[in-house]
């Protein structure tokens, strides 16, 4: 059970690939909260909450999903309203996040996914009916736009998977 101090509205979560940490995207709080997981007691304790928005942004916004690269070095959370993807570096020893900036994306990014190796990110704009593709820089976490694709009305889920053996 997670009981945040403020009305954050935890929406989605992801596990750090090598540490006992969970990260939640906070839909109403427009932030990401990291929690330490005590595997013997099965409890979570808040480690850090960090905004997904740039300083001074005051328009309506909510967060959607959250994903971390397989290396555990970078974490991403889309902003619906600011229409961006918030990018974070993950400290290798503590799991704390440092904001790296924001990348513009399709309107109302309700869904996105990293490929299994963490080299590409695809974000679906539920208001634009388009899918934006980005290359992930494995050294810096920077997202480089590659292109956009028409995908039909209100795309609500993106799943990257490995096919074959």
């Amino acid at each position: 059970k997670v009981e945040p101090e403020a009305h954050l509205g935890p929406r989605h979560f992801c596990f750090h690939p090598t540490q006992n940490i969970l990260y939640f995207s906070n839909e109403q709080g427009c932030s990401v909260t990291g929690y330490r997981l005590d595997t013997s007691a099965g409890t979570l304790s808040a480690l850090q909450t960090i905004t997904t928005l740039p300083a001074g942004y005051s328009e309506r916004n909510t967060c959607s999903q959250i994903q971390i690269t397989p290396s555990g070095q970078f974490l991403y959370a889309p902003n619906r309203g600011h229409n961006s993807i918030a990018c974070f570096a993950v400290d290798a020893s503590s799991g704390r996040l440092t904001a790296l900036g924001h990348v513009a994306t399709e309107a109302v990014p309700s869904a996105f996914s990293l490929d299994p190796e963490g080299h590409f990110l695809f974000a679906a704009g539920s208001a634009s009916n388009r899918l934006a593709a980005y290359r992930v820089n494995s050294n810096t976490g920077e997202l480089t736009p590659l292109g956009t694709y028409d995908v039909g009305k209100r795309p609500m889920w993106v799943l990257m998977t490995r096919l074959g053996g």
Side-chain angles (χ1 to χ4, degrees):
K1 183 175 184 180
V2 174
E3 293 183 11
E5 292 179 21
H7 179 66
L8 298 176
R11 179 181 169 95
H12 287 267
F13 68 91
C14 61
F15 285 91
H16 189 284
T18 60
Q19 298 185 40
N20 288 327
I21 299 176
L22 281 85
Y23 298 97
F24 280 84
S25 63
N26 298 311
E27 186 170 24
Q28 287 83 31
C30 301
S31 58
V32 171
T33 301
Y35 292 89
R36 251 193 220 292
L37 170 63
D38 181 331
T39 57
S40 59
T43 58
L44 299 173
S45 56
L47 171 69
Q48 172 193 30
T49 297
I50 186 169
T51 185
T52 60
L53 293 169
Y57 185 82
S58 60
E59 303 295 317
R60 185 180 182 323
N61 188 77
T62 57
C63 288
S64 59
Q65 298 177 319
I66 187 168
Q67 290 204 354
I68 192 167
T69 56
S71 68
Q73 293 180 286
F74 305 105
L75 183 138
Y76 303 95
N79 286 301
R80 298 177 297 185
H82 187 254
N83 297 327
S84 66
I85 299 170
C87 307
F88 300 93
V90 182
D91 183 82
S93 59
S94 70
R96 292 181 64 83
L97 304 176
T98 301
L100 296 175
H102 304 84
V103 174
T105 196
E106 293 298 306
V108 191
S110 294
F112 83 114
S113 186
L114 287 162
D115 76 288
E117 286 78 32
H119 298 299
F120 299 96
L121 185 149
F122 293 86
S126 62
S128 70
N129 306 323
R130 295 174 64 83
L131 183 73
Y134 303 88
R135 180 179 308 281
V136 178
N137 182 310
S138 60
N139 295 316
T140 66
E142 180 182 5
L143 300 178
T144 302
L146 296 174
T148 57
Y149 309 92
D150 291 323
V151 292
K153 289 197 179 259
R154 296 202 56 180
M156 297 304 287
W157 196 257
V158 178
L159 175 65
M160 299 298 299
T161 188
R162 186 177 292 115
L163 298 176

